[in-house]
Amino acid sequence: MAAVYKSLTGSSTKNATINGAPAKKNKQRVLILSSRGVTFRQRHLLNDLYALLPHSRKDAKLDTKTKLYQLNELADLYNCNNVLFFEARKGKDLYIWMSKAPNGPTIKCHMQNLHTTSELHFPGNCLRGSRPILSFDAKFNSAPHLILIKELLTHVFGVPKGARKTKPFVDHVMGFTLADGKIWIRCFEIRETAVSKAESRTQPAEEMDKQIVAVGEKGETKINLVEIGPRFLLTPIVILESSFGGPVIYENKEFVSPNQIRSELRLSKAGRYNQRAEQQMDLKAKKGDLGLRTGKERPNGELEDRVLFA
């Protein structure tokens, strides 16, 4: 079908030139896989991303969590230059690795608040295999490590033109927003609806200005964004120089491990228990001093019956 489409449209990627020079072809392929121990929601999220990225290749689960350098060999085997690896820990935490194989760099992020497409029940929809528009927040250009993260996200989520299983359409937008030190990722459908004459007459001019209205051959068209999912947020942890290894070139000092958070919660509960235990011990000591505890005889007073009538 791709060859038929190229022959009908007359497009040829081999002879494409820009200002007399041969155009650089964007060749990006992504290998998507996970580790053992992923939950059903995490597995469904992986399937949603695989459906949104037609230039990706999904592989079986990786048996090891320590020898991640083996992913470079898998990427070379499947002719992929990007790796998206989901690492599950304790059935609760999910870490995502994004790497440029085989030379790097590699970004490790902690994934939170993940919601799949099936559980959100959004009314939007997009064509399977279509290419997205990547929308990045302006804050990504404020720091060197954010520029690197933006470039790697572009290589992973940006579907190249003419890639495998792609359709010649652009009908959805992937938004990357930076807030509170986290990357918020959303996916929206570009929905176009024709503006009727009655609607243009009854709708105030102020509301028409807030909406995007395009004028084409068939008249005015109203363009809206409808969220289709999935949605999740990423917290960058470290950036490694090479692929799944090498020296650390960036580390997020504000990141707190979920294991440490759960440990602090357990310690706080244990502190409350220890405080109650100490109070009970103090109360027993006071009762023992007053002779109110059973098992300890109280000394006889001068006015007791056993002393007066002895």
Side-chain angles (χ1 to χ4, degrees):
M1 292 300 294
V4 174
Y5 174 75
K6 290 181 181 179
S7 62
L8 292 177
T9 55
S11 61
S12 177
T13 56
K14 296 182 180 179
N15 300 326
T17 58
I18 298 176
N19 296 330
K24 294 182 180 179
K25 188 175 181 181
N26 185 15
K27 295 183 179 180
Q28 301 293 336
R29 293 192 65 184
V30 185
L31 177 64
I32 301 178
L33 72 163
S34 65
S35 64
R36 297 288 180 182
V38 292
T39 61
F40 71 97
R41 294 182 63 201
Q42 297 167 358
R43 187 175 63 253
H44 289 176
L45 177 65
L46 189 145
N47 294 331
D48 292 341
L49 292 179
Y50 176 70
L52 287 175
L53 304 177
H55 66 303
S56 61
R57 175 67 183 265
K58 188 171 64 172
D59 193 22
K61 296 178 181 179
L62 190 68
D63 292 330
T64 179
K65 294 183 181 179
T66 57
K67 301 178 182 180
L68 297 183
Y69 58 85
Q70 297 178 358
L71 293 171
N72 295 324
E73 300 177 1
L74 287 176
D76 187 25
L77 181 64
Y78 291 112
N79 194 19
C80 297
N81 54 357
N82 298 281
V83 179
L84 194 64
F85 177 64
F86 291 82
E87 181 184 1
R89 294 285 183 180
K90 297 183 178 181
K92 303 177 182 178
D93 307 325
L94 182 63
Y95 297 91
I96 183 170
W97 296 75
M98 294 180 290
S99 174
K100 286 290 295 181
N103 298 323
T106 304
I107 301 176
K108 181 182 180 181
C109 301
H110 180 223
M111 182 179 289
Q112 294 174 297
N113 297 346
L114 60 96
H115 299 280
T116 61
T117 305
S118 58
E119 67 176 308
L120 290 174
H121 301 290
F122 282 132
N125 192 10
C126 68
L127 180 66
R128 185 182 181 91
S130 61
R131 300 172 60 215
I133 297 175
L134 303 184
S135 175
F136 287 93
D137 194 357
K139 296 179 182 178
F140 277 96
N141 299 324
S142 59
H145 69 280
L146 295 177
I147 296 176
L148 179 60
I149 293 174
K150 176 183 176 182
E151 186 68 20
L152 196 53
L153 288 174
T154 304
H155 290 184
V156 172
F157 293 96
V159 181
K161 185 177 180 180
R164 167 180 170 267
K165 295 183 180 180
T166 55
K167 304 294 190 303
F169 303 102
V170 177
D171 60 352
H172 63 283
V173 179
M174 293 196 69
F176 301 88
T177 307
L178 192 65
D180 298 333
K182 298 177 177 58
I183 303 172
W184 304 68
I185 299 179
R186 299 288 186 271
C187 190
F188 302 91
E189 176 202 359
I190 304 175
R191 179 170 296 181
E192 300 180 6
T193 55
V195 180
S196 61
K197 296 181 179 180
E199 185 179 1
S200 60
R201 292 174 184 174
T202 56
Q203 196 170 11
E206 298 178 355
E207 296 183 2
M208 292 292 292
D209 294 338
K210 295 180 182 179
Q211 299 174 350
I212 301 176
V213 179
V215 180
E217 297 179 357
K218 298 182 181 180
E220 294 182 349
T221 303
K222 184 169 57 176
I223 301 176
N224 297 324
L225 294 179
V226 182
E227 189 171 0
I228 60 177
R231 58 162 62 170
F232 53 92
L233 61 91
L234 303 177
T235 305
I237 303 175
V238 292
I239 300 179
L240 305 179
E241 185 177 359
S242 61
S243 180
F244 297 102
V248 177
I249 59 178
Y250 170 76
E251 183 178 2
N252 188 4
K253 301 295 184 180
E254 298 179 356
F255 174 73
V256 181
S257 174
N259 287 331
Q260 185 176 354
I261 295 176
R262 289 191 290 264
S263 176
E264 292 178 355
L265 290 175
R266 288 193 297 267
L267 289 176
S268 63
K269 294 180 180 178
R272 292 196 297 267
Y273 171 77
N274 293 334
Q275 186 178 3
R276 290 196 302 268
E278 290 178 359
Q279 292 176 356
Q280 293 177 0
M281 292 296 294
D282 294 340
L283 182 60
K284 289 181 180 179
K286 290 180 181 179
K287 289 183 177 179
D289 296 338
L290 297 175
L292 300 177
R293 290 184 59 189
T294 58
K296 183 178 180 181
E297 296 184 359
R298 187 174 55 181
N300 297 329
E302 298 179 354
L303 300 178
E304 290 189 2
D305 295 342
R306 65 181 67 181
V307 175
L308 294 176
F309 301 102

